[in-house]
Amino acid sequence: MTHKDIAQLLTTAIEQQKFDTAIGQVHDLRPIDTADILALIPPKLSWQLLDRLPNRATVFSYLEAEDQVALAYQFPRANLARLVGDMPSDERTDLYKRLDQSQRDALLPALAQAEREDIRLLSAYAEGTAGALMTSDYATLKAQMTVAQALAALRLEAPDAETIYHAYVIDSERQLIGVISLRSLILASPEQSIGDIMLTSVVASNVNEDQEDVAKKVARYDLIALPIIDDGGALVGIVTHDDAMDVASDEATDDFHKSGGVSSLVGSFKDTSIRILYRKRVFWLVFLVFGNLISGVGIAHFEEVIAANLVLVFFLPLLVDSGGNAGSQSATLMVRALATGEVVMRDWFSLLGREALVALLLGITMAAAISVIGYVRGDAVVSLVLALSMVSVVMIGCVIGMSLPFVLNKLGFDPASASAPLITSVCDASGVAIYLFIASKFLPL
């Protein structure tokens, strides 16, 4: 039975107030599958089933952000407060920030005081920072505890903690002084002190650190969770591995969109309106229309050469596209290397020489192929013009494609803004000028 079939059965059951039947349909499903099915049911019906599920908070967490908000507006205040209270602190705060002000004002008084203060604290951090990404549901221990006392404390904290695979050791002022894994606790003697077996070289991030840097740190050190400290060194939260990977995925998607000359989309592409798709794409396309006029200027400047040697027109698209393709390849490789931290600004000069050599080899290979066609369509001089132009265009394209992400990065822009359309337009304009300039030196007017 497909999700759509189950959704239809659930819709009928909910409309008939047969909630036991509806719950039975999803009882054995994984939470993510249940969430996918609920997304197919109108919110005014699906909230009634979700509210009765024992794992409602987990199912709710798998819904898309826009579906969560739509459901939140259907819940009565008391029911929504119960659901929000069951959610992890970071997800609870994310939902709170998506609601409008009137819904926030209605929700907060219905929550327990601890939950209200937690939301206020976490929502105060700027978007895109570690503070906005972290959760306050984590396990802490004291250095003077024995292993037996620590395990007993973790049993009490486990129901509310995001993860207990690592516990963080703090002092009386909540300063982070160490970390210990659950594995180490299980293997240690019950009488041993936590201070004797904890790791003191803790990898941590500041609350104001960029979330992309946090995600890189989690991946680099292969962490289950990364502790987050304030400016005074006090532990205020953790960023879990799954949240960090969500950030990495979002950043990769954002870079992918930019590489195609599209502004970042929010939400599902399938559900994005025509107006938003138009607005996200129109800027680059209009900008590049005027950018491509440069190619037209180049062609106009060499009108006499083209008029006297019409065979040049046949090869013009091939040559300029080759430069654009080579530049796009270089830009794609460089944007990704900058995004992952494989290269930094000081590597530009050393990479330039290597890229120029690679481009020369590529250009010679492509020139060997095109020169044969040039000889067949024209003569030996046309063949030479094509070969020299191909080598030059490919080399210039690769150098531009490699260098532009560095330039943008140096100027404080996202290197991913060196999109394929932008690189192609720049390389097209330079390719036209190079090709016709070389032709003007070898061919008669």
Side-chain angles (χ1 to χ4, degrees):
M1 188 177 296
T2 66
H3 286 180
K4 188 174 181 179
D5 294 333
I6 298 175
Q8 291 175 344
L9 292 174
L10 292 178
T11 300
T12 301
I14 296 170
E15 289 175 339
Q16 297 175 354
Q17 300 291 297
K18 296 179 179 178
F19 294 109
D20 289 340
T21 301
I23 292 173
Q25 289 287 342
V26 298
H27 181 268
D28 296 327
L29 297 180
R30 296 181 182 275
I32 189 170
D33 293 322
T34 303
D36 288 343
I37 293 168
L38 288 180
L40 300 174
I41 302 174
K44 64 181 180 181
L45 296 177
S46 60
W47 81 265
Q48 300 178 54
L49 175 59
L50 179 64
D51 190 45
R52 291 169 168 82
L53 296 178
N55 59 345
R56 56 181 172 268
T58 305
V59 172
F60 189 77
S61 69
Y62 283 112
L63 291 168
E64 296 291 338
E66 56 269 26
D67 293 330
Q68 289 185 350
V69 173
L71 273 173
Y73 287 124
Q74 298 297 323
F75 272 85
R77 188 178 72 163
N79 301 61
L80 180 60
R82 188 170 68 232
L83 171 65
V84 170
D86 292 340
M87 296 170 66
S89 61
D90 54 338
E91 295 178 10
R92 177 193 305 146
T93 304
D94 288 341
L95 175 62
Y96 174 79
K97 289 190 288 189
R98 294 188 191 111
L99 301 176
D100 62 33
Q101 192 59 50
S102 62
Q103 189 77 348
R104 294 181 188 180
D105 294 340
L107 174 63
L108 279 181
L111 297 173
Q113 181 178 355
E115 293 165 357
R116 290 200 303 271
E117 293 304 317
D118 192 56
I119 285 178
R120 288 195 179 104
L121 175 65
L122 294 180
S123 61
Y125 294 106
E127 283 297 320
T129 64
L133 186 64
M134 71 183 183
T135 175
S136 58
D137 300 329
Y138 54 90
T140 59
L141 298 172
K142 301 290 186 179
Q144 60 270 26
M145 284 181 171
T146 64
V147 169
Q149 290 172 333
L151 288 172
L154 288 180
R155 288 191 188 96
L156 296 176
E157 293 190 44
D160 298 321
E162 187 86 4
T163 176
I164 60 167
Y165 294 111
H166 283 90
Y168 302 94
V169 185
I170 57 175
D171 61 17
S172 57
E173 297 181 349
R174 299 196 64 80
Q175 298 287 307
L176 181 62
I177 58 176
V179 62
I180 188 167
S181 68
L182 184 60
R183 176 186 176 89
S184 297
L185 287 173
I186 293 173
L187 294 176
S189 170
E191 295 79 21
Q192 280 187 283
S193 167
I194 295 299
D196 293 336
I197 60 176
M198 69 181 184
L199 294 176
T200 55
S201 55
V202 185
V203 178
S205 286
N206 184 273
V207 287
N208 298 312
E209 191 170 331
D210 187 89
Q211 64 177 16
E212 189 174 1
D213 294 330
V214 170
K216 289 178 181 178
K217 193 174 290 187
V218 170
R220 174 179 174 82
Y221 295 102
D222 196 21
L223 300 173
I224 294 175
L226 177 71
I228 307 299
I229 57 176
D230 62 17
D231 293 333
L235 181 64
V236 291
I238 62 171
V239 172
T240 56
H241 184 274
D242 58 332
D243 289 336
M245 292 308 98
D246 286 342
V247 169
S249 175
D250 290 343
E251 294 291 344
T253 300
D254 186 44
D255 288 347
F256 188 79
H257 286 156
K258 288 180 180 178
S259 71
V262 179
S263 300
S264 300
L265 295 176
V266 178
S268 169
F269 170 75
K270 181 180 66 175
D271 300 324
T272 303
S273 68
I274 293 175
R275 182 181 63 85
I276 292 177
L277 287 174
Y278 166 81
R279 183 164 53 85
K280 294 292 185 179
R281 297 167 65 177
V282 67
F283 170 78
W284 272 112
L285 291 178
V286 173
F287 175 79
L288 295 175
V289 163
F290 292 100
N292 287 331
L293 288 177
I294 300 174
S295 298
V297 172
I299 293 173
H301 183 74
F302 293 101
E303 278 183 349
E304 295 181 4
V305 179
I306 297 172
N309 303 274
L310 290 177
V311 69
L312 297 175
V313 177
F314 178 81
F315 296 101
L316 182 60
L318 182 152
L319 279 166
V320 297
D321 284 352
S322 296
N325 292 338
S328 295
Q329 283 186 340
S330 297
T332 299
L333 293 172
M334 205 51 54
V335 167
R336 186 58 184 163
L338 285 168
T340 58
E342 294 177 33
V343 298
V344 293
M345 193 64 200
R346 64 174 177 269
D347 296 324
W348 176 80
F349 189 75
S350 61
L351 292 174
L352 181 62
R354 188 178 70 170
E355 186 66 18
L357 179 58
V358 172
L360 177 62
L361 295 174
L362 291 172
I364 291 173
T365 304
M366 297 167 73
I370 194 63
S371 60
V372 175
I373 303 174
Y375 184 79
V376 173
R377 291 279 302 183
D379 54 28
V381 179
V382 171
S383 177
L384 176 62
V385 168
L386 290 173
L388 291 175
S389 299
M390 181 62 80
V391 172
S392 302
V393 165
V394 170
M395 288 193 67
I396 293 296
C398 287
V399 170
I400 291 173
M402 190 212 78
S403 301
L404 191 54
F406 278 102
V407 173
L408 292 172
N409 191 49
K410 182 68 174 179
L411 295 175
F413 296 103
D414 189 340
S417 298
S419 61
L422 176 60
I423 295 292
T424 300
S425 296
V426 173
C427 292
D428 283 355
S430 59
V432 167
I434 292 169
Y435 175 42
L436 296 179
F437 174 79
I438 292 175
S440 69
K441 298 302 179 182
F442 285 88
L443 297 173
L445 297 178

